[in-house]
Amino acid sequence: MIVARNLTQRYSRAIGGTGRDGEPLPEPVLTVLDGVDLDVEEGEVVVVLGPSGSGKTTLLGLLAGLDRPSSGTVRLAGVDLEDLDEDARAALRADRIGFVFQGFHLLPTLTALENVLVPLELLPRERAPRPAEAEAIAKGLLDRVGLGARFDHHPAQLSGGEQQRVGVARAFANEPAVLFADEPTGNLDRETGEEIVDLLFELNEQHGTTLVVVTHDLELARRAHRIVHLSGGRIARIEEPGHPT
Ligand code: ADP
Ligand code: MG
């Protein structure tokens, strides 16, 4: 489902200014990801663990085609991302990808229901449901995440856990082949976090959705098929829970 090869991401730390000779100062380069190879099978749950700043969010952004790597390749759902322009990537994401953000990223002026409708409206024409059908799907998803009584609430009228449930419902609305989640429980209390995790695993089992989840949550990691330990922009080791390495 995902084949990443030699993924490297570098950022120049622009410090500005000029040297005594009037030439711009050379910009020190920060290597955030350094030659990452990763294969994720269809239906697999892969958890990415690593300390803050180890490149987890960067890796997710590259695998999902939100950002372009400095070098290396990502093949996602049979498509080489480097061959696609921005419009084609956006179309691929709308069709095949779900993303749950750490900070929820709901649209504040839209209701819960309208937020979940957004990805349905972005589906390619041949997959797009009619409006009445889209509404039924979105309501079904909100019911599924326990928010059947909150359709018309705006994000500000929802608790953090409820907002993240809307985020999960939204991420599943396009029936993605791959769902990426960046610390989906990071802003939630323990109990609410566990509910969100249960939900992700249930949806994985019911729909066979491939999950790539960044987390600090060791309980969540223990339930994954594989755990990728990132350290300083490299894969330090890959662990299969239940199969000690
Ligand atoms: P993690 O999610 O593991 O905490 P990130 O992938 O967010 O780590 O970031 C890894 C490193 O890359 C950090 O040191 C961060 O400051 C740096 N970084 C991330 N994005 C950018 C960017 N757009 N420009 C410059 N540096 C960045
Ligand atoms: Mg991060």
Side-chain angles (χ1 to χ4, degrees):
M1 181 55 71
I2 304 172
V3 181
R5 287 292 173 271
N6 202 19
L7 270 188
T8 299
Q9 189 69 308
R10 296 184 201 90
Y11 295 112
S12 58
R13 282 185 281 194
I15 49 178
T18 51
R20 241 181 293 179
D21 55 4
E23 292 294 312
L25 289 169
E27 291 178 346
V29 170
L30 181 68
T31 301
V32 174
L33 283 184
D34 191 7
V36 167
D37 292 330
L38 182 64
D39 290 34
V40 179
E41 302 297 326
E42 194 170 341
E44 198 179 12
V45 179
V46 171
V47 156
V48 181
L49 283 181
S52 179
S54 57
K56 304 183 297 294
T57 295
T58 303
L59 177 62
L60 226 54
L62 295 180
L63 296 179
L66 293 167
D67 300 305
R68 285 178 185 273
S70 306
S71 61
T73 58
V74 178
R75 191 169 175 82
L76 178 66
V79 183
D80 288 318
L81 293 184
E82 67 270 23
D83 294 343
L84 305 182
D85 64 16
E86 293 311 314
D87 286 350
R89 283 156 175 265
L92 176 69
R93 286 198 302 272
D95 194 18
R96 311 301 306 273
I97 305 300
F99 214 103
V100 179
F101 298 90
Q102 177 171 13
F104 315 141
H105 285 239
L106 301 178
L107 294 168
T109 60
L110 301 185
T111 65
L113 183 61
E114 289 164 345
N115 267 285
V116 179
L117 280 168
V118 168
L120 290 162
E121 287 156 3
L122 293 174
L123 276 174
R125 198 167 303 151
E126 64 277 11
R127 279 188 67 202
R130 293 166 203 278
E133 204 186 322
E135 188 167 319
I137 292 168
K139 285 181 170 172
L141 282 161
L142 284 168
D143 266 334
R144 179 71 196 71
V145 300
L147 290 178
R150 299 283 189 281
F151 293 157
D152 296 325
H153 284 55
H154 286 80
Q157 300 168 311
L158 297 168
S159 71
E162 287 169 341
Q163 289 183 56
Q164 193 58 304
R165 286 161 193 258
V166 177
V168 171
R170 177 182 59 182
F172 272 96
N174 60 345
E175 294 185 20
V178 190
L179 186 136
F180 296 93
D182 193 357
E183 303 197 33
T185 63
N187 288 338
L188 304 176
D189 63 64
R190 185 177 179 80
E191 198 178 327
T192 313
E194 278 170 13
E195 285 167 19
I196 293 291
V197 169
D198 287 344
L199 196 59
L200 288 171
F201 276 88
E202 268 176 52
L203 291 164
N204 159 262
E205 279 162 23
Q206 286 167 8
H207 299 279
T209 312
T210 307
L211 294 182
V212 183
V213 185
V214 166
T215 188
H216 290 293
D217 183 341
L218 295 176
E219 281 295 302
L220 192 171
R222 208 175 38 78
R223 295 169 61 179
H225 300 131
R226 281 190 303 152
I227 304 173
V228 173
H229 293 265
L230 260 195
S231 173
R234 290 169 179 263
I235 294 184
R237 65 196 167 99
I238 294 184
E239 193 183 343
E240 293 185 22
H243 304 271
T245 48

